[in-house]
Amino acid sequence: MGRTVFISGAASGMGRAHARGFAAAGYNVVVADVDEVGGRAVVSEIGENAAFVRLDVRDPASWKAAVDETERRFGPISVLVNNAGIVSAAAPIADSDPADWDLVIATDLKGPYLGIRAAVPSLRRAGGGAIVNIASTTGHIGTSFIAAYSTSKWGIRGLTQTAALELARDNIRVDSVSPGVVRTPFITEPARPGAKPIAETWNGDQLAVKRMAEPEEITRVVMFLASEESAFITGSDYVIDGGLLIGPVVPADA
Ligand code: NAD
């Protein structure tokens, strides 16, 4: 039946690119998302080795139903990509809305926790495999005005290391990737009605490489971490950021 990858948030952006990349490598692909229209469009781009499964990553029952549906369609899961995410409404902590904090933590941090919890029995049935969690450079440094988002992404790296320790005995490796700024609707579209797209302030000009990443540049690393090429890697975080974390380029005449 072949190996099966389950990707949360695969209706858009990087998740869509991961779905296309894994499909091209011969995987069965589960496109899991709250966005049914976008998810079904990705499935029709890929063809018969893909299936849409409705998933709200904040809900344990939704995870259980999605994993059960995956097993019925393709058999056990070999690779879980915890990719779904939303950004905080931009606000300083002192003026921010606790309801927004809860929404972002529930989606970006509790979501991947629930995903690991729900998918591990399936990965065990597959004889082992890999989990790749999508963190962010905002999980390495402070990030003003999006505290819940940055805190979630810091948390993802802790979750990744803990899960890697617990799951090595099951032949399941767990790693994360930390993209910098990637050209997806997350960056190019307003996160909330009336908000400015992040791309208006973060367009890549600030980086050493002077551009944003394309989603496929993240897919290649996710697929490496899912493959046997990375058999001795677990609990790691791969920064894919065009030099964002190494700081600004200082002009030669400064
Ligand atoms: P995107 O907005 O294009 O896609 C996110 C997807 O997640 C959407 O399809 C959306 O419907 C889905 N989603 C949102 N809430 C969900 C929920 N409750 N349940 C299921 N699905 C849900 O964004 P993207 O840029 O492709 O982001 C993918 C991941 O990469 C996110 O975790 C994001 O935090 C992370 N990331 C993005 C960037 C960037 O610059 N774009 C940088 C670093 C990390």
Side-chain angles (χ1 to χ4, degrees):
M1 226 174 185
R3 281 159 62 86
T4 298
V5 60
F6 184 108
I7 308 171
S8 72
S12 173
M14 271 181 261
R16 171 174 173 264
H18 304 336
R20 291 161 61 102
F22 277 101
Y27 281 76
N28 305 312
V29 178
V30 174
V31 173
D33 208 296
V34 277
D35 174 3
E36 181 155 356
V37 173
R40 291 202 184 280
V42 173
V43 167
S44 33
E45 281 170 15
I46 293 175
E48 62 182 26
N49 288 341
F52 173 76
V53 171
R54 212 200 108 74
L55 171 71
D56 183 339
V57 294
R58 297 167 294 175
D59 176 8
S62 180
W63 270 109
K64 176 157 186 355
V67 170
D68 288 350
E69 197 176 331
T70 300
E71 290 219 349
R72 279 197 297 277
R73 173 76 193 259
F74 293 127
I77 297 168
S78 295
V79 179
L80 168 67
V81 184
N82 272 315
N83 164 79
I86 56 170
V87 74
S88 310
I93 293 168
D95 301 329
S96 62
D97 180 353
D100 190 69
W101 171 276
D102 287 345
L103 174 66
V104 173
I105 299 284
T107 308
D108 295 3
L109 184 53
K110 189 176 178 189
Y113 152 75
L114 291 175
I116 295 171
R117 187 175 169 277
V120 158
S122 187
L123 281 144
R124 285 188 180 131
R125 283 190 282 277
I131 298 173
V132 184
N133 298 320
I134 309 303
S136 163
T137 48
T138 65
H140 289 256
I141 50 174
T143 315
S144 43
F145 311 130
I146 49 170
Y149 182 75
S150 177
T151 302
S152 295
K153 296 304 188 179
W154 275 89
I156 285 286
R157 295 197 295 126
L159 176 69
T160 298
Q161 293 188 10
T162 300
L165 288 170
E166 292 180 3
L167 295 171
R169 73 184 74 169
D170 295 309
N171 193 31
I172 300 169
R173 297 180 301 101
V174 190
D175 296 285
S176 60
V177 299
S178 286
V181 187
V182 188
R183 190 188 311 280
T184 71
F186 192 93
I187 293 291
T188 57
E189 307 290 330
R192 305 277 197 285
K196 276 196 205 158
I198 296 171
E200 280 189 21
T201 43
W202 263 107
N203 55 18
D205 278 358
Q206 300 88 343
L207 303 179
V209 300
K210 297 277 176 220
R211 66 174 179 86
M212 297 184 198
E214 298 303 326
E216 294 73 19
E217 295 181 285
I218 314 305
T219 299
R220 288 195 278 277
V221 182
V222 170
M223 290 184 66
F224 165 69
L225 289 171
S227 77
E228 283 304 303
E229 297 294 309
S230 61
F232 203 62
I233 298 172
T234 194
S236 289
D237 179 75
Y238 276 60
V239 172
I240 317 164
D241 71 344
L244 189 155
L245 290 181
I246 55 177
V249 180
V250 178
D253 55 358

